[in-house]
Amino acid sequence: MRTKIVTILAFVLFLTTYAQDKKWTLLECVNYALDNNISIKQNKLNVAISEENVLNAKGNFLPNLNASTSGSLSFGSNFEPVTQNRVSTSTFGGSLGINSGITVFNGYRNLNTYKQAQLGVESSKLDLDKIQDDISLFVVNSYLNVLFAKENLNVAQVQYEISKKQIESAQAQFEAGDKPKSDLLNAQSTAAADEQSVILNENTLSLALLDLAQLLQISPTNFDVETIEVDAPSLAMLYKNADEVYQRALTNRPEIKKAELDIELSDLSVEIAKANFLPSVSLGANVGTGYGFNLKNNSHIPYFTQLDDNLGYGLNFSVNIPIFNRNQTKSNVNRQLINYEISKFGLENQKLQLQQTIQKAFYDAKAAAKAYESAEKSLIAQNEAFKNAQESYNSGVMTSFDFDQVRNRLVNAEGAIIRAKYDYIFKSKVLKFYYGEPIVID
């Protein structure tokens, strides 16, 4: 028994350790968000409701069928249920019936309602596509922020290690009498500032991981992501101009397709409203029978014989012709026509917003490419300057203060190129997103 307990505890410990050590990839983060995000789940339920609306609209073409029964108990002077003679007695009677009805014509209201329900399913699916795209883009951005924070932390840690070596060098030179104590104190001050930078970047990384975990709606405890190598982005623009991306986006963006569907839905609403101007035709059928018993007289007609003798059938046909309904139909049609015009403006507005968003994204990406190119040149220059400064400092030509100034410029250049790299990568992905290309590759 003890061996089993130890085995179970070891297995649980293994699972716990594995869960803590596991790092999420970008694809895992996106897929998890798509499967578990609450807003996405809500929109999936909206799709299910729309599908039920189609089933409901399809049922309007079918006849209904209803069964009914009733019973009564009476005392004293009353009509005998079967003979209908007034007698003073106690009676029990009832009826059974089945009726059915079907709409033959109602101004194509049922047909247009069915078409509208079908378009409603497509519209709900486009809403789902839109929120899935948005969530995917948010996750990619948040994931890149984590990688950006990790690179910044790595730079800060490297600089801190350099600072600690500078302290060792300054200490040795001070003890040998080659450097004044001020150089040692300056090295210690720089190391303290670099240590603070490490702490700040660690906190920034923790917050970036927290943002991503909250976006995924999971616990941030022991959460981490896989560090992937992000190559230096190509400075060549992916697309010639913003209009190239915009024209492609018009054919694939769900918000545009939904706005187009809204126009069709509004047009069908106009036709449904106009149906009230037309006559409606319905057809019905019924079958019924009755039974009755004199509770004071046992010589009554058998139950099934009564049902058979009292059985009756009926058909009915009705036509409803609207003549005047206080201008209600006319007003409703006018409202739907206005909504139709509103939906057309809605499409134009969606196109305008999309065009403006893509134009901004294109010029943002263009500016980010230039910023990255500039940061790259600056880093190359600062690296050369740092090498020369290090040689000068080691040979005693340069003071520690001047050396720190050069090193600080190198640190700033390293931070600038990291920022420019991730800024350009994300903005390039935004353009791919609108162009319809996948932003996450398996």
Side-chain angles (χ1 to χ4, degrees):
M1 181 66 181
R2 183 178 179 182
T3 304
K4 289 183 178 180
I5 294 175
V6 171
T7 303
I8 292 172
L9 290 175
F11 181 68
V12 171
L13 181 62
F14 167 76
L15 291 179
T16 304
T17 305
Y18 175 77
Q20 290 175 347
D21 292 341
K22 181 185 182 305
K23 293 184 178 182
W24 293 58
T25 65
L26 176 57
L27 185 62
E28 287 174 336
C29 288
V30 172
N31 287 340
Y32 185 88
L34 294 180
D35 290 337
N36 297 278
N37 183 270
I38 292 176
S39 297
I40 291 177
K41 289 182 178 181
Q42 288 176 327
N43 275 267
K44 287 181 178 179
L45 292 177
N46 289 336
V47 173
I49 290 175
S50 298
E51 290 171 344
E52 289 299 320
N53 290 338
V54 172
L55 184 62
N56 182 67
K58 190 184 295 185
N60 291 331
F61 295 103
L62 303 175
N64 60 18
L65 181 64
N66 299 291
S68 63
T69 183
S70 65
S72 64
L73 181 64
S74 61
F75 305 92
S77 178
N78 209 332
F79 287 100
E80 203 270 336
V82 177
T83 65
Q84 291 299 302
N85 294 324
R86 179 170 287 278
V87 294
S88 179
T89 185
S90 298
T91 61
F92 173 72
S95 64
L96 300 171
I98 297 177
N99 64 82
S100 177
I102 185 171
T103 300
V104 179
F105 178 76
N106 64 350
Y108 305 107
R109 186 185 297 112
N110 288 346
L111 179 61
N112 289 324
T113 300
Y114 178 63
K115 290 179 179 179
Q116 200 173 51
Q118 288 180 310
L119 291 179
V121 174
E122 294 182 41
S123 181
S124 297
K125 288 181 178 179
L126 289 172
D127 282 334
L128 177 60
D129 290 342
K130 175 67 166 59
I131 193 169
Q132 286 177 330
D133 284 349
D134 290 344
I135 293 296
S136 298
L137 197 60
F138 292 154
V139 171
V140 170
N141 185 30
S142 187
Y143 195 98
L144 290 177
N145 283 338
V146 173
L147 299 185
F148 169 67
K150 284 189 173 188
E151 285 204 31
N152 273 339
L153 176 59
N154 183 59
V155 169
Q157 288 172 335
V158 169
Q159 293 302 322
Y160 181 49
E161 291 300 319
I162 293 175
S163 295
K164 288 194 292 185
K165 290 180 181 179
Q166 290 298 121
I167 291 177
E168 295 174 2
S169 176
Q171 180 74 37
Q173 290 178 329
F174 169 69
E175 291 175 355
D178 296 333
K179 292 284 184 180
K181 188 175 182 179
S182 59
D183 282 4
L184 174 60
L185 295 175
N186 186 61
Q188 291 172 338
S189 175
T190 300
D194 288 342
E195 183 180 16
Q196 185 180 19
S197 178
V198 170
I199 294 171
L200 289 174
N201 279 282
E202 286 175 342
N203 184 59
T204 300
L205 175 58
S206 297
L207 291 176
L209 286 168
L210 176 62
D211 288 341
L212 180 56
Q214 289 178 340
L215 182 59
L216 298 178
Q217 298 169 354
I218 62 175
S219 172
T221 305
N222 299 321
F223 173 70
D224 198 4
V225 301
E226 196 71 43
T227 301
I228 56 179
E229 290 298 326
V230 180
D231 297 330
S234 171
L235 295 178
M237 290 297 292
L238 297 173
Y239 313 103
K240 295 178 181 179
N241 49 57
D243 191 61
E244 178 186 355
V245 181
Y246 172 66
Q247 294 300 326
R248 181 67 178 269
L250 288 176
T251 64
N252 63 60
R253 291 304 302 156
E255 59 267 36
I256 299 299
K257 294 180 180 179
K258 184 178 184 302
E260 292 171 343
L261 275 182
D262 287 342
I263 295 177
E264 293 185 54
L265 287 167
S266 296
D267 186 45
L268 287 172
S269 294
V270 172
E271 296 304 315
I272 291 172
K274 287 181 178 180
N276 290 320
F277 285 124
L278 301 175
S280 59
V281 180
S282 60
L283 179 66
N286 61 80
V287 178
T289 187
Y291 60 91
F293 300 99
N294 189 326
L295 299 180
K296 292 183 178 181
N297 184 358
N298 292 327
S299 60
H300 49 69
I301 301 173
Y303 175 72
F304 288 103
T305 301
Q306 290 189 58
L307 293 181
D308 185 58
D309 292 343
N310 296 325
L311 186 63
Y313 308 88
L315 292 173
N316 59 77
F317 179 79
S318 66
V319 178
N320 181 46
I321 303 174
I323 297 175
F324 179 71
N325 66 346
R326 305 179 304 279
N327 294 322
Q328 298 299 305
T329 301
K330 181 180 179 181
S331 177
N332 190 34
V333 171
N334 289 338
R335 276 199 304 271
Q336 299 307 325
L337 287 170
I338 293 171
N339 285 332
Y340 177 72
E341 294 299 322
I342 290 173
S343 63
K344 290 199 294 185
F345 281 118
L347 174 60
E348 294 304 314
N349 187 51
Q350 283 290 347
K351 288 181 178 179
L352 180 61
Q353 288 183 4
L354 180 64
Q355 185 180 42
Q356 291 175 344
T357 301
I358 290 175
Q359 286 174 343
K360 185 177 185 303
F362 181 82
Y363 286 107
D364 281 345
K366 193 174 181 179
K370 292 180 179 179
Y372 179 77
E373 183 178 21
S374 176
E376 197 173 35
K377 292 177 180 178
S378 175
L379 181 61
I380 294 172
Q382 293 301 331
N383 270 319
E384 290 299 318
F386 178 73
K387 290 178 183 178
N388 293 333
Q390 199 165 32
E391 292 176 1
S392 299
Y393 177 75
N394 291 336
S395 62
V397 177
M398 179 178 285
T399 64
S400 61
F401 177 80
D402 291 335
F403 176 72
D404 284 339
Q405 295 298 312
V406 176
R407 190 164 71 91
N408 287 336
R409 286 195 292 271
L410 175 61
V411 172
N412 292 334
E414 289 174 334
I417 197 168
I418 293 173
R419 284 192 300 273
K421 178 174 73 172
Y422 281 98
D423 186 47
Y424 181 55
I425 288 172
F426 178 71
K427 286 172 179 175
S428 297
K429 284 186 176 293
V430 170
L431 285 179
K432 285 185 176 182
F433 170 76
Y434 284 111
Y435 196 77
E437 296 182 12
I439 56 175
V440 180
I441 301 175
D442 191 354

